[in-house]
Amino acid sequence: MILPSPGVESEYDRKSELKAFDASKSGVKGLVDGGMTKIPLMFIHPHYNPDAKSGSVVSQFRVPLIDLDGVNEIATLRAKIIDQVREACENWGFLQVVNHGIPASVLEEMLGGIRGFHEPDTQMKKEFYTRDFKEKVSFVSNFDLFQATAATWKDSLSWAVAPNPPHPTELPAVCRDIVMEYSKQVKRLGYTLFELLSEALGLHVNHLKDMECAEMMFHAGHYYPPCPEPELTLGARRHTDSGFLTVLLQDQVGGLQVLHQNQWIDASPMPGALVINVGDSLQVITNDRFKSIEHRVLVNSESSRVSVASAFGTTLFPSSKLYSPIKELLSQENPPKYKEATLQTHVAYLRGKRV
Ligand code: OGA
Ligand code: NI
């Protein structure tokens, strides 16, 4: 009889653990409801260094905070805001905005709606569970469960708004109205942001919008349950976003960190604020002027956390459209760093370089 080597055996166990977890359709929240005190092996991140935990490094850095109040009314204010946006996108790839035009009540209600979907372990929730992203609405734990080396401590409800928006009745009833309303308002904010970004690059105000940067949208309402062993896992491993721009709404729990000058800096929650970050696709078309920066999410043992990431542009739905750095930004001193290629090719290249 040939006994499998320990390596093969543990690999086999891992696969069945993943499959059983996926088949439960209850996500990480389902595990936590079961009352566990130790996290399953599949969630353990061997390279996660707890010394790098939030709070262990007191940093002088803060994610830039930009007040958009008056941006469309007062020309001198607008010019100042554009300078701040340029500086943040060049040096951080991240910023937070306040007075962005989405009422605090809409933000609150949106976080509540996403929480309302994730918290009860209902049959209705299981019916949304799928790994097929061609579905207009999907609930899943870990988009890359079967590809990644370790799973993360989160569940996500996702919906694409453009180019194929869901009909309201396709969304879970518990958050249907607020999801429609929030999606509409974030899209409008996206237009404002792409205008500011275009001007920050010295381009015509409509340049990025005309390139259809805001046309494809994908939203993910994440739920990070409390974790009994938070130092062994992550809510989101270090990554960059693939699209042009992400708008992130987070509750007041905290856990998002941004890599800045080799330090993990907390993107601390601020009431009413939204976090904005540059994605890989924007880095490519700006010829590396605006930076797509790595970030991650820590979990904690006390509180669950809710966030909503709205991505403008995504490589989740492959397109044959070709992109290269914007011609107006190039010169003899600043030759193109990328050839013409699809966004999937660009993102794969950038990610390969980062490993
Ligand atoms: C993402 C992401 C951060 C968060 O969805 O890409 O980085 O705080 N989310 O949920
Ligand atoms: Ni991200």
Side-chain angles (χ1 to χ4, degrees):
M1 191 167 80
I2 303 169
L3 289 170
S5 71
V8 170
E9 195 176 29
S10 64
E11 179 59 20
Y12 175 76
D13 283 343
R14 182 178 152 71
K15 272 203 189 114
S16 28
E17 200 184 354
L18 292 174
K19 278 193 182 151
F21 170 72
D22 203 40
S24 79
K25 304 188 177 193
S26 296
V28 179
K29 177 66 168 58
L31 295 177
V32 172
D33 288 344
M36 61 157 52
T37 52
K38 294 222 162 298
I39 69 172
L41 216 55
M42 56 182 269
F43 290 97
I44 296 181
H45 287 242
H47 301 303
Y48 174 44
N49 172 10
D51 294 341
K53 251 175 96 168
S54 171
S56 57
V57 180
V58 179
S59 173
Q60 74 276 29
F61 295 122
R62 291 275 173 283
V63 175
L65 178 67
I66 302 181
D67 186 345
L68 296 183
D69 195 23
V71 70
N72 290 322
E73 286 96 47
I74 306 166
T76 49
L77 245 177
R78 184 176 179 89
K80 201 175 119 219
I81 291 168
I82 286 167
D83 286 344
Q84 292 172 339
V85 167
R86 181 188 311 110
E87 166 100 12
C89 292
E90 288 179 352
N91 298 326
W92 276 86
F94 266 80
L95 51 115
Q96 296 214 55
V97 290
V98 287
N99 294 316
H100 40 65
I102 306 184
S105 58
V106 171
L107 304 184
E108 279 305 306
E109 217 184 303
M110 182 62 181
L111 290 169
I114 296 302
R115 182 176 289 279
F117 171 79
H118 283 287
E119 289 202 325
D121 185 24
T122 55
Q123 189 55 34
M124 175 280 290
K125 191 167 125 179
K126 290 190 173 74
E127 276 160 23
F128 282 98
Y129 199 88
T130 175
R131 289 191 180 279
D132 181 0
F133 293 110
K134 287 197 273 315
E135 291 286 341
K136 287 182 186 164
V137 182
S138 66
F139 161 55
V140 80
S141 183
N142 284 258
F143 301 119
D144 56 359
L145 187 69
F146 294 100
Q147 291 84 40
T149 49
T152 54
W153 203 254
K154 76 158 171 265
D155 302 329
S156 310
L157 173 71
S158 308
W159 64 100
V161 167
N164 275 321
H167 188 271
T169 56
E170 292 176 278
L171 287 159
V174 58
C175 54
R176 178 177 297 158
D177 294 346
I178 190 64
V179 161
M180 295 305 288
E181 178 62 22
Y182 181 76
S183 306
K184 193 176 80 191
Q185 298 221 20
V186 174
K187 183 159 186 180
R188 201 174 55 207
L189 173 62
Y191 282 135
T192 303
L193 293 170
F194 281 113
E195 288 171 6
L196 295 174
L197 291 166
S198 299
E199 291 191 65
L201 290 164
L203 301 169
H204 184 275
V205 60
N206 291 334
H207 198 109
L208 293 172
K209 279 191 305 184
D210 289 346
M211 286 179 76
E212 299 183 346
C213 291
E215 289 318 305
M216 173 103 87
M217 272 199 92
F218 181 80
H219 303 257
H222 302 303
Y223 184 79
Y224 302 89
C227 179
E229 296 181 293
E231 62 292 342
L232 296 183
T233 191
L234 286 162
R237 71 183 70 80
R238 61 189 293 173
H239 70 281
T240 55
D241 294 352
S242 66
F244 292 105
L245 200 69
T246 305
V247 175
L248 183 91
L249 164 64
Q250 61 172 336
D251 66 13
Q252 297 303 302
V253 172
L256 174 62
Q257 294 188 321
V258 176
L259 194 60
H260 181 70
Q261 300 198 2
N262 252 340
Q263 289 178 33
W264 286 106
I265 309 297
D266 291 325
S268 301
M270 277 194 56
L274 291 166
V275 177
I276 314 290
N277 67 290
V278 173
D280 295 341
S281 304
L282 189 57
Q283 176 168 334
V284 168
I285 63 170
T286 64
N287 208 34
D288 285 355
R289 183 152 169 200
F290 289 174
K291 308 285 190 309
S292 173
I293 296 298
E294 287 183 300
H295 49 287
R296 67 178 186 184
V297 177
L298 306 183
V299 285
N300 72 84
S301 55
E302 278 94 53
S303 327
S304 56
R305 174 174 182 266
V306 175
S307 70
V308 183
S310 303
F312 290 91
T314 165
T315 49
L316 221 51
F317 312 108
S319 149
S320 55
K321 198 165 164 181
L322 300 177
Y323 287 85
S324 56
I326 295 168
K327 301 277 177 301
E328 287 83 343
L329 303 179
L330 303 175
S331 63
Q332 214 144 29
E333 299 76 52
N334 184 21
K337 295 189 167 79
Y338 304 88
K339 295 197 183 95
E340 193 158 74
T342 63
L343 288 179
Q344 297 86 261
T345 305
H346 282 308
V347 170
Y349 167 75
L350 263 181
R351 292 192 171 172
K353 263 200 340 189
R354 278 197 190 99
V355 175

